Short mmCIF file of all heavy atoms in Angstrom, two decimals:
data_model
loop_
_atom_site.label_atom_id
_atom_site.label_comp_id
_atom_site.label_asym_id
_atom_site.label_seq_id
_atom_site.Cartn_x
_atom_site.Cartn_y
_atom_site.Cartn_z
N LEU U 214 0.84 -1.21 0.00
CA LEU U 214 0.00 0.00 0.00
C LEU U 214 0.87 1.26 0.00
O LEU U 214 0.61 2.21 -0.74
CB LEU U 214 -0.92 0.00 1.22
CG LEU U 214 -1.75 1.27 1.45
CD1 LEU U 214 -2.73 1.48 0.30
CD2 LEU U 214 -2.49 1.21 2.78
N VAL U 215 1.91 1.24 0.82
CA VAL U 215 2.82 2.39 0.89
C VAL U 215 3.52 2.58 -0.45
O VAL U 215 3.61 3.69 -0.98
CB VAL U 215 3.85 2.21 2.02
CG1 VAL U 215 4.88 3.34 1.99
CG2 VAL U 215 3.16 2.16 3.38
N ARG U 216 3.98 1.49 -1.04
CA ARG U 216 4.71 1.58 -2.31
C ARG U 216 3.80 2.03 -3.45
O ARG U 216 4.23 2.74 -4.36
CB ARG U 216 5.35 0.22 -2.62
CG ARG U 216 6.51 -0.13 -1.69
CD ARG U 216 7.05 -1.52 -1.99
NE ARG U 216 7.57 -1.60 -3.34
CZ ARG U 216 8.85 -1.35 -3.66
NH1 ARG U 216 9.70 -1.00 -2.72
NH2 ARG U 216 9.26 -1.44 -4.91
N ARG U 217 2.53 1.61 -3.42
CA ARG U 217 1.60 2.04 -4.47
C ARG U 217 1.38 3.55 -4.45
O ARG U 217 0.96 4.14 -5.45
CB ARG U 217 0.25 1.31 -4.33
CG ARG U 217 0.28 -0.12 -4.80
CD ARG U 217 -1.14 -0.60 -5.12
NE ARG U 217 -2.03 -0.51 -3.99
CZ ARG U 217 -2.21 -1.47 -3.09
NH1 ARG U 217 -1.53 -2.60 -3.17
NH2 ARG U 217 -3.07 -1.31 -2.10
N ASN U 218 1.65 4.17 -3.31
CA ASN U 218 1.54 5.62 -3.20
C ASN U 218 2.83 6.32 -3.61
O ASN U 218 2.99 7.53 -3.39
CB ASN U 218 1.17 6.01 -1.77
CG ASN U 218 -0.32 5.87 -1.48
OD1 ASN U 218 -1.09 6.76 -1.79
ND2 ASN U 218 -0.71 4.72 -0.93
N GLY U 219 3.75 5.56 -4.19
CA GLY U 219 5.00 6.15 -4.67
C GLY U 219 6.00 6.46 -3.59
O GLY U 219 6.89 7.29 -3.78
N LEU U 220 5.89 5.80 -2.44
CA LEU U 220 6.77 6.06 -1.31
C LEU U 220 7.64 4.86 -1.01
O LEU U 220 7.24 3.71 -1.23
CB LEU U 220 5.94 6.40 -0.06
CG LEU U 220 5.00 7.60 -0.17
CD1 LEU U 220 4.12 7.68 1.08
CD2 LEU U 220 5.78 8.90 -0.36
N ALA U 221 8.82 5.13 -0.48
CA ALA U 221 9.67 4.06 0.03
C ALA U 221 9.20 3.68 1.43
O ALA U 221 8.60 4.50 2.14
CB ALA U 221 11.12 4.51 0.06
N ILE U 222 9.48 2.46 1.83
CA ILE U 222 9.11 2.03 3.18
C ILE U 222 10.29 1.33 3.84
O ILE U 222 10.96 0.50 3.23
CB ILE U 222 7.87 1.09 3.16
CG1 ILE U 222 7.52 0.65 4.60
CG2 ILE U 222 8.09 -0.11 2.25
CD1 ILE U 222 6.19 -0.06 4.72
N ALA U 223 10.56 1.75 5.07
CA ALA U 223 11.61 1.14 5.88
C ALA U 223 11.00 0.72 7.21
O ALA U 223 9.95 1.22 7.61
CB ALA U 223 12.74 2.14 6.12
N THR U 224 11.66 -0.22 7.88
CA THR U 224 11.16 -0.69 9.18
C THR U 224 12.29 -0.71 10.20
O THR U 224 13.47 -0.80 9.86
CB THR U 224 10.56 -2.10 9.09
OG1 THR U 224 11.59 -3.04 8.73
CG2 THR U 224 9.43 -2.16 8.08
N TYR U 225 11.89 -0.61 11.46
CA TYR U 225 12.83 -0.75 12.57
C TYR U 225 12.15 -1.58 13.66
O TYR U 225 10.91 -1.74 13.65
CB TYR U 225 13.25 0.62 13.13
CG TYR U 225 12.15 1.34 13.87
CD1 TYR U 225 11.98 1.19 15.25
CD2 TYR U 225 11.23 2.16 13.18
CE1 TYR U 225 10.94 1.85 15.92
CE2 TYR U 225 10.21 2.81 13.85
CZ TYR U 225 10.08 2.66 15.21
OH TYR U 225 9.05 3.30 15.88
N GLY U 226 12.89 -2.08 14.62
CA GLY U 226 12.31 -2.87 15.70
C GLY U 226 13.11 -4.13 15.94
O GLY U 226 13.89 -4.58 15.10
N SER U 227 12.90 -4.74 17.10
CA SER U 227 13.70 -5.91 17.50
C SER U 227 13.52 -7.10 16.58
O SER U 227 14.43 -7.91 16.42
CB SER U 227 13.36 -6.30 18.95
OG SER U 227 11.97 -6.58 19.07
N LEU U 228 12.34 -7.24 15.95
CA LEU U 228 12.13 -8.35 15.03
C LEU U 228 13.11 -8.32 13.85
O LEU U 228 13.41 -9.35 13.26
CB LEU U 228 10.70 -8.35 14.49
CG LEU U 228 9.59 -8.83 15.43
CD1 LEU U 228 8.23 -8.72 14.74
CD2 LEU U 228 9.84 -10.27 15.87
N ASN U 229 13.61 -7.15 13.54
CA ASN U 229 14.53 -7.02 12.41
C ASN U 229 15.90 -7.64 12.69
O ASN U 229 16.71 -7.77 11.78
CB ASN U 229 14.72 -5.55 12.04
CG ASN U 229 13.52 -4.98 11.32
OD1 ASN U 229 12.56 -5.69 11.03
ND2 ASN U 229 13.54 -3.69 11.05
N ASN U 230 16.15 -8.03 13.93
CA ASN U 230 17.41 -8.70 14.24
C ASN U 230 17.35 -10.19 13.94
O ASN U 230 18.34 -10.90 14.12
CB ASN U 230 17.77 -8.48 15.71
CG ASN U 230 18.09 -7.02 16.01
OD1 ASN U 230 18.65 -6.32 15.17
ND2 ASN U 230 17.70 -6.55 17.18
N GLN U 231 16.20 -10.66 13.48
CA GLN U 231 16.04 -12.07 13.11
C GLN U 231 16.03 -12.20 11.59
O GLN U 231 15.21 -11.58 10.91
CB GLN U 231 14.73 -12.61 13.69
CG GLN U 231 14.64 -12.49 15.22
CD GLN U 231 13.29 -12.94 15.75
OE1 GLN U 231 12.61 -13.76 15.14
NE2 GLN U 231 12.90 -12.39 16.90
N ALA U 232 16.97 -12.98 11.09
CA ALA U 232 17.16 -13.10 9.63
C ALA U 232 15.88 -13.51 8.92
O ALA U 232 15.59 -13.03 7.81
CB ALA U 232 18.28 -14.09 9.34
N ALA U 233 15.09 -14.38 9.53
CA ALA U 233 13.86 -14.84 8.89
C ALA U 233 12.89 -13.69 8.63
O ALA U 233 12.23 -13.63 7.58
CB ALA U 233 13.19 -15.91 9.76
N HIS U 234 12.78 -12.77 9.58
CA HIS U 234 11.88 -11.63 9.42
C HIS U 234 12.39 -10.67 8.35
O HIS U 234 11.60 -10.05 7.63
CB HIS U 234 11.70 -10.90 10.75
CG HIS U 234 10.78 -11.61 11.71
ND1 HIS U 234 9.41 -11.54 11.59
CD2 HIS U 234 11.04 -12.40 12.78
CE1 HIS U 234 8.86 -12.26 12.56
NE2 HIS U 234 9.82 -12.79 13.29
N VAL U 235 13.71 -10.54 8.24
CA VAL U 235 14.28 -9.68 7.20
C VAL U 235 13.95 -10.23 5.83
O VAL U 235 13.53 -9.51 4.92
CB VAL U 235 15.81 -9.56 7.38
CG1 VAL U 235 16.42 -8.80 6.20
CG2 VAL U 235 16.14 -8.84 8.69
N LYS U 236 14.09 -11.54 5.65
CA LYS U 236 13.79 -12.17 4.36
C LYS U 236 12.31 -12.03 4.01
O LYS U 236 11.95 -11.81 2.85
CB LYS U 236 14.21 -13.63 4.40
CG LYS U 236 15.72 -13.84 4.49
CD LYS U 236 16.09 -15.31 4.57
CE LYS U 236 17.60 -15.49 4.66
NZ LYS U 236 17.97 -16.93 4.81
N GLN U 237 11.46 -12.18 5.02
CA GLN U 237 10.02 -12.03 4.77
C GLN U 237 9.69 -10.62 4.30
O GLN U 237 8.89 -10.42 3.39
CB GLN U 237 9.23 -12.35 6.04
CG GLN U 237 9.09 -13.83 6.34
CD GLN U 237 8.29 -14.53 5.25
OE1 GLN U 237 8.83 -15.38 4.52
NE2 GLN U 237 7.02 -14.19 5.12
N GLN U 238 10.34 -9.63 4.90
CA GLN U 238 10.06 -8.25 4.52
C GLN U 238 10.53 -7.95 3.10
O GLN U 238 9.93 -7.12 2.40
CB GLN U 238 10.72 -7.30 5.52
CG GLN U 238 10.04 -7.31 6.89
CD GLN U 238 10.72 -6.38 7.86
OE1 GLN U 238 10.63 -5.16 7.74
NE2 GLN U 238 11.42 -6.95 8.84
N GLN U 239 11.59 -8.61 2.67
CA GLN U 239 12.01 -8.45 1.28
C GLN U 239 10.93 -8.96 0.34
O GLN U 239 10.66 -8.35 -0.70
CB GLN U 239 13.32 -9.22 1.05
CG GLN U 239 14.52 -8.61 1.75
CD GLN U 239 15.79 -9.44 1.56
OE1 GLN U 239 15.72 -10.61 1.20
NE2 GLN U 239 16.93 -8.84 1.82
N ILE U 240 10.29 -10.03 0.73
CA ILE U 240 9.19 -10.58 -0.08
C ILE U 240 8.00 -9.61 -0.07
O ILE U 240 7.34 -9.41 -1.09
CB ILE U 240 8.77 -11.96 0.46
CG1 ILE U 240 9.92 -12.96 0.31
CG2 ILE U 240 7.52 -12.47 -0.25
CD1 ILE U 240 9.66 -14.30 0.98
N TYR U 241 7.75 -8.98 1.07
CA TYR U 241 6.63 -8.06 1.18
C TYR U 241 6.85 -6.78 0.37
O TYR U 241 5.89 -6.08 0.06
CB TYR U 241 6.39 -7.65 2.65
CG TYR U 241 6.08 -8.79 3.59
CD1 TYR U 241 6.34 -8.68 4.95
CD2 TYR U 241 5.55 -10.00 3.12
CE1 TYR U 241 6.06 -9.71 5.83
CE2 TYR U 241 5.28 -11.04 3.99
CZ TYR U 241 5.54 -10.90 5.35
OH TYR U 241 5.27 -11.92 6.22
N GLY U 242 8.10 -6.48 0.03
CA GLY U 242 8.39 -5.26 -0.71
C GLY U 242 8.95 -4.13 0.13
O GLY U 242 8.98 -2.99 -0.32
N VAL U 243 9.42 -4.44 1.35
CA VAL U 243 10.03 -3.42 2.20
C VAL U 243 11.38 -3.02 1.59
O VAL U 243 12.18 -3.87 1.22
CB VAL U 243 10.22 -3.94 3.64
CG1 VAL U 243 11.02 -2.95 4.48
CG2 VAL U 243 8.85 -4.20 4.29
N ASP U 244 11.62 -1.72 1.48
CA ASP U 244 12.83 -1.22 0.84
C ASP U 244 14.06 -1.27 1.73
O ASP U 244 15.15 -1.58 1.28
CB ASP U 244 12.62 0.23 0.39
CG ASP U 244 11.55 0.35 -0.68
OD1 ASP U 244 11.76 -0.15 -1.79
OD2 ASP U 244 10.49 0.97 -0.40
N ILE U 245 13.87 -0.91 2.99
CA ILE U 245 15.00 -0.77 3.92
C ILE U 245 14.65 -1.44 5.24
O ILE U 245 13.55 -1.24 5.77
CB ILE U 245 15.32 0.72 4.19
CG1 ILE U 245 15.62 1.45 2.88
CG2 ILE U 245 16.49 0.87 5.15
CD1 ILE U 245 15.66 2.96 3.03
N VAL U 246 15.58 -2.23 5.77
CA VAL U 246 15.40 -2.86 7.07
C VAL U 246 16.52 -2.36 7.98
O VAL U 246 17.70 -2.59 7.70
CB VAL U 246 15.43 -4.40 6.97
CG1 VAL U 246 15.35 -5.03 8.35
CG2 VAL U 246 14.29 -4.89 6.10
N ILE U 247 16.16 -1.68 9.06
CA ILE U 247 17.13 -1.15 10.01
C ILE U 247 17.31 -2.17 11.12
O ILE U 247 16.35 -2.60 11.75
CB ILE U 247 16.66 0.19 10.59
CG1 ILE U 247 16.49 1.21 9.45
CG2 ILE U 247 17.63 0.73 11.62
CD1 ILE U 247 15.84 2.51 9.89
N VAL U 248 18.57 -2.58 11.35
CA VAL U 248 18.84 -3.62 12.34
C VAL U 248 19.82 -3.13 13.38
O VAL U 248 20.59 -2.20 13.15
CB VAL U 248 19.40 -4.89 11.65
CG1 VAL U 248 18.43 -5.41 10.61
CG2 VAL U 248 20.77 -4.62 11.02
N ASP U 249 19.79 -3.79 14.55
CA ASP U 249 20.76 -3.49 15.61
C ASP U 249 22.00 -4.36 15.46
O ASP U 249 23.10 -3.94 15.75
CB ASP U 249 20.13 -3.72 16.98
CG ASP U 249 18.94 -2.81 17.22
OD1 ASP U 249 19.06 -1.61 16.92
OD2 ASP U 249 17.91 -3.30 17.68
N ASP U 250 21.80 -5.60 15.04
CA ASP U 250 22.91 -6.56 14.93
C ASP U 250 23.00 -7.04 13.49
O ASP U 250 22.25 -7.92 13.06
CB ASP U 250 22.67 -7.74 15.87
CG ASP U 250 23.90 -8.62 16.00
OD1 ASP U 250 24.77 -8.57 15.11
OD2 ASP U 250 24.00 -9.37 16.99
N VAL U 251 23.88 -6.44 12.71
CA VAL U 251 24.00 -6.76 11.29
C VAL U 251 24.43 -8.21 11.10
O VAL U 251 24.03 -8.88 10.14
CB VAL U 251 25.00 -5.81 10.60
CG1 VAL U 251 25.18 -6.17 9.13
CG2 VAL U 251 24.54 -4.38 10.74
N ARG U 252 25.20 -8.74 12.03
CA ARG U 252 25.70 -10.11 11.87
C ARG U 252 24.60 -11.15 11.87
O ARG U 252 24.65 -12.12 11.12
CB ARG U 252 26.70 -10.42 13.01
CG ARG U 252 27.98 -9.60 12.97
CD ARG U 252 28.77 -9.79 14.24
NE ARG U 252 27.99 -9.38 15.41
CZ ARG U 252 28.42 -9.52 16.66
NH1 ARG U 252 29.61 -10.05 16.89
NH2 ARG U 252 27.68 -9.13 17.68
N THR U 253 23.58 -10.95 12.71
CA THR U 253 22.51 -11.94 12.80
C THR U 253 21.45 -11.72 11.73
O THR U 253 20.77 -12.63 11.29
CB THR U 253 21.84 -11.93 14.18
OG1 THR U 253 21.31 -10.62 14.42
CG2 THR U 253 22.86 -12.27 15.25
#
C-alpha cells in the first residue's frame, strides 16, 4: 500500500534482528530494514 503511493518504506524494531523476518520483509516489498545486529 505504501509503495503504491509512490513512497519508500523502511522498518525498525527488535524483530529485524532475526534473519527470517528480514527475508520475509524483502518478499513483502520493504525497501529498507534497520537492524541493531547486522551479523545476525
Side-chain angles (χ1 to χ4, degrees):
L214 173 64
V215 174
R216 290 176 62 91
R217 284 201 302 271
N218 279 276
L220 302 172
I222 180 170
T224 64
Y225 70 91
S227 58
L228 284 179
N229 286 356
N230 294 325
Q231 302 175 27
H234 283 281
V235 174
K236 292 178 180 177
Q237 282 296 114
Q238 289 179 71
Q239 290 177 343
I240 296 172
Y241 300 156
V243 172
D244 296 294
I245 303 168
V246 175
I247 300 172
V248 302
D249 298 314
D250 191 339
V251 178
R252 294 170 301 176
T253 58

